[in-house]
Amino acid sequence: MSTNSIVLQTESFCDIHDIKEAKSYIRPYVRHTPLIQSMFLSNNVTGGNVFLKLENMQFTGSFKFRGALNKILHLTDEQKEKGIITASAGNHAQGLALTGKLLDIKTTVIMPNEAPIAKQEATRGYGAEVILEGDTFNDSRLYMEQMAKETGKTIVHPYDDSEVMAGQGTIGLEILDSIWNVDTVVLPVGGGGLISGVATALKSFNPNIHIIGVQSENVHGMATSIEAGKITSQFTDHTIADGTEVTIPGDKTFEVVDKLVDEFILVSEEEISSAMRHLMQRTKIVTEGAGALPTAALISGKIDPCYLKDKNIVALVSGGNVDLTRVSDIIDHLLKPADTNEGVVG
């Protein structure tokens, strides 16, 4: 498939020109996050060159700030005056809340009842009104849509929005700035906004870059939908990767993912927890469950070695907003007897 054909197939939603524009819009506000090599994942796990893109070091501790900011910068003055509203498990909420604070826009966030306390408090700390409603993100989304109709507030969707996707796609441009000859990119997936934007950016440059989406075995609405060939709900149980706990993917993101993402890997809760421990112990990176999904996929052995051995690989650490109680549990686990290599850094 040619590069031009990829751009044309996705341009009704988000294309490379939108992503480059987003980069110019958000550059004054966002961090160009580090890309570091993990010697452990390179030498001990994959036999390739594995680099971690550290979006846990982005403002608000997550990539979500990029998309929320790009969307709001495109709103009219009238829309900004009426205020903005969203539904989010936490990271998009914080990104939107910080943007609202920076641009002096009243922000309302609907969060599921099980949203991590740390994310609730951080969102309020940025000045947003937080309303808890529903057991799942989809419940919160439905309530958000009802409230938006009643108040006239503009919905800033966490993933199914062209300008949000374009904002997240700027990560792809940063990856290419650092490693133009990247072979494989591994990304966490919830509703699909992140992987849609990043895949569009990467495959517009090189259609042969292998894009892998990773989801929890407990919640993988996007993977189920791609396999079924239509948007399908999927939920087995809550996941430690709460930032990706989206049972039904977006209409726009589904179409982009179906065209551009090469495969999906599903990982267990234990594999996610193990990845969080490895990232903390080996590379000194504190990540939330969603941010550990790509590392979990690499460690699990479920990715075909042909996409790993002797390849340049980027795994995205999408966020670091994890409750301290969960970090404490991980530390307790690390203090138990483990393999002899557990203390190796890198």
Side-chain angles (χ1 to χ4, degrees):
M1 184 182 296
S2 70
T3 302
N4 288 337
S5 65
I6 288 177
V7 173
L8 289 172
Q9 286 175 357
T10 62
E11 67 179 352
S12 61
F13 301 130
C14 162
D15 65 21
I16 189 62
H17 306 293
D18 298 319
I19 296 170
K20 289 180 177 178
E21 179 193 67
K23 183 178 179 179
S24 68
Y25 269 55
I26 70 176
R27 182 186 288 117
Y29 301 93
V30 302
R31 287 178 177 145
H32 185 124
T33 53
L35 189 78
I36 66 168
Q37 185 168 13
S38 168
M39 300 311 297
F40 166 67
L41 292 174
S42 297
N43 298 331
N44 296 38
V45 176
T46 66
N49 302 310
V50 179
F51 298 86
L52 300 172
K53 178 64 170 170
L54 302 183
E55 281 294 296
N56 61 314
M57 297 182 68
Q58 186 56 261
F59 290 114
T60 74
S62 165
F63 75 95
K64 288 283 191 176
F65 180 50
R66 296 174 184 262
L69 177 62
N70 188 53
K71 175 64 178 179
I72 294 174
L73 289 172
H74 280 82
L75 296 182
T76 65
D77 290 340
E78 182 180 0
Q79 289 173 315
K80 294 175 183 177
E81 180 65 27
K82 289 184 177 180
I84 52 181
I85 187 170
T86 197
S88 169
N91 284 337
H92 177 68
Q94 292 175 70
L96 194 69
L98 176 57
T99 304
K101 184 180 182 66
L102 291 173
L103 302 180
D104 195 25
I105 301 171
K106 186 174 181 180
T107 305
T108 302
V109 177
I110 315 301
M111 303 180 79
N113 294 321
E114 298 298 322
I117 299 298
K119 293 182 179 181
Q120 294 181 39
E121 293 178 347
T123 304
R124 291 190 180 97
Y126 290 123
E129 176 189 13
V130 174
I131 299 174
L132 299 180
E133 181 66 36
D135 294 328
T136 68
F137 166 79
N138 196 49
D139 295 332
S140 300
R141 178 184 63 81
L142 293 173
Y143 185 79
M144 169 200 69
E145 291 172 352
Q146 174 189 336
M147 193 170 180
K149 289 180 181 178
E150 294 173 354
T151 62
K153 295 178 182 292
T154 296
I155 293 174
V156 180
H157 200 285
Y159 51 85
D160 205 34
D161 181 281
S162 299
E163 285 152 354
V164 169
M165 285 189 277
Q168 321 303 24
T170 60
I171 295 170
L173 298 182
E174 290 185 12
I175 290 171
L176 292 172
D177 285 343
S178 299
I179 310 176
W180 67 269
N181 58 342
V182 63
D183 298 298
T184 302
V185 177
V186 192
L187 301 158
V189 180
L194 170 67
I195 199 168
S196 294
V198 173
T200 298
L202 294 174
K203 295 222 171 186
S204 294
F205 175 74
N206 179 3
N208 295 317
I209 296 173
H210 193 74
I211 309 292
I212 300 174
V214 188
Q215 295 194 285
S216 163
E217 291 177 354
N218 285 1
V219 187
H220 49 271
M222 181 64 84
T224 296
S225 297
I226 296 299
E227 183 177 8
K230 62 181 180 179
I231 293 178
T232 305
S233 176
Q234 189 284 325
F235 178 86
T236 302
D237 197 357
H238 292 293
T239 172
I240 190 174
D242 55 87
T244 59
E245 194 168 292
V246 180
T247 59
I248 304 173
D251 295 330
K252 294 181 179 180
T253 56
F254 170 77
E255 291 199 32
V256 177
V257 169
D258 191 38
K259 290 182 175 72
L260 300 185
V261 176
D262 296 291
E263 66 171 308
F264 276 87
I265 300 294
L266 302 183
V267 291
S268 69
E269 296 302 293
E270 177 55 36
E271 286 168 334
I272 300 169
S273 296
S274 177
M276 293 173 72
R277 293 193 294 270
H278 279 299
L279 285 168
M280 184 179 296
Q281 181 73 352
R282 311 274 186 166
T283 59
K284 313 310 175 190
I285 294 171
V286 176
T287 178
E288 59 191 278
L293 284 172
T295 299
L298 292 173
I299 293 174
S300 72
K302 296 175 181 178
I303 300 175
D304 190 322
C306 73
Y307 299 115
L308 302 177
K309 186 168 178 57
D310 300 322
K311 303 295 185 181
N312 291 325
I313 306 150
V314 173
L316 183 72
V317 181
S318 58
N321 295 315
V322 59
D323 277 335
L324 292 179
T325 52
R326 187 160 286 168
V327 175
S328 177
D329 291 341
I330 292 171
I331 292 173
D332 287 344
H333 184 93
L334 286 172
L335 293 175
K336 296 177 182 178
D339 63 88
T340 57
N341 291 324
E342 193 66 30
V344 178
V345 176

